[in-house]
Amino acid sequence: MDTAKNTLRQRFRARRDVLSPQVKADADEHLVISLANTDLHGHFSASPGSLIAAYVPVGKEPGSIAALDALNDGGCEVLLPVVVPGPPAPLRWARYSGPASLRTGRFGLLEPTQPTQPPSAVERSDLVLVPALAVDRHGVRLGRGAGYYDRSIAAVPRERLVAVVYDEELVDQLPAGPFDVPMGWALTPKLGYTRLGTT
């Protein structure tokens, strides 16, 4: 299982590595529009006062600071993950208050300078945007392999979990492990939101 997943990780990373800056910029622009107009068929709508857990993209991950700003400007409260020292463990969270509030943390990730909140803070979120290398139509998410997110979102209801990927990274089937947390939705630049696990 791990060998199969690692092979897939390499494949999807290689696809991202060759994305041109223009393709990434266009994809990110579409994601900003989708996030600013979130309406998950009665399950959730991004409105003032909503609490959204998100992430700062690394490298060519889909997403952008502009997407975080769009949520903030829409009146949402945005939480970002903070990696704690030591072996992989549940993420802590801190409020995002603009690009100037970010600093470089562990693994070179940009993290908020606001006081951190405990791992359980993510459970209060109305929506959790989860980075992924790929996700399948059953809701199986392929992450980077360290397990930080699976440890962090296990108690979050599935319908609040959104894997953010490029359109070609929404696939029919991925290998699933015993600790993989299923996603309720995929968000891609062209397709917008796709409900997962309904068949």
Side-chain angles (χ1 to χ4, degrees):
M1 181 71 70
D2 287 341
T3 300
K5 283 190 172 185
N6 285 334
T7 299
L8 287 169
R9 287 187 183 104
Q10 292 173 7
R11 182 189 306 170
F12 285 110
R13 284 194 186 109
R15 286 182 181 177
R16 287 186 177 180
D17 286 344
V18 298
L19 288 176
S20 70
Q22 187 59 55
V23 168
K24 166 127 172 62
D26 290 345
D28 291 344
E29 184 177 349
H30 284 293
L31 290 175
V32 169
I33 293 170
S34 291
L35 288 170
N37 297 282
T38 299
D39 182 5
L40 299 187
H41 310 292
H43 292 272
F44 172 80
S45 179
S47 56
S50 297
L51 179 63
I52 299 181
Y55 64 94
V56 180
V58 176
K60 292 186 177 178
E61 277 185 335
S64 61
I65 296 294
L68 303 179
D69 289 336
L71 292 171
N72 254 357
D73 293 344
C76 297
E77 179 179 351
V78 179
L79 294 179
L80 296 178
V82 177
V83 182
V84 299
L91 299 160
R92 293 183 67 85
W93 301 86
R95 184 172 182 177
Y96 172 71
S97 56
S101 71
L102 298 175
R103 65 182 173 195
T104 303
R106 195 176 181 200
F107 305 129
L109 303 175
L110 290 176
E111 299 176 344
T113 55
Q114 300 287 342
T116 62
Q117 302 177 31
S120 59
V122 72
E123 298 171 23
R124 298 186 289 105
S125 298
D126 298 294
L127 197 70
V128 183
L129 303 175
V130 185
L133 288 169
V135 67
D136 73 16
R137 296 186 181 277
H138 307 284
V140 177
R141 169 183 164 268
L142 182 69
R144 292 183 172 271
Y148 282 97
Y149 266 91
D150 287 321
R151 289 178 174 87
S152 303
I153 59 177
V156 179
R158 178 176 182 173
E159 62 268 17
R160 301 183 197 170
L161 299 175
V162 180
V164 185
V165 294
Y166 294 102
D167 293 87
E168 63 273 16
E169 296 168 350
L170 173 57
V171 299
D172 288 336
Q173 189 167 9
L174 291 168
F179 301 108
D180 292 342
V181 177
M183 302 289 104
W185 302 86
L187 172 59
T188 72
K190 294 180 181 177
L191 297 175
Y193 289 94
T194 300
R195 190 75 166 95
L196 305 175
T198 57
T199 58

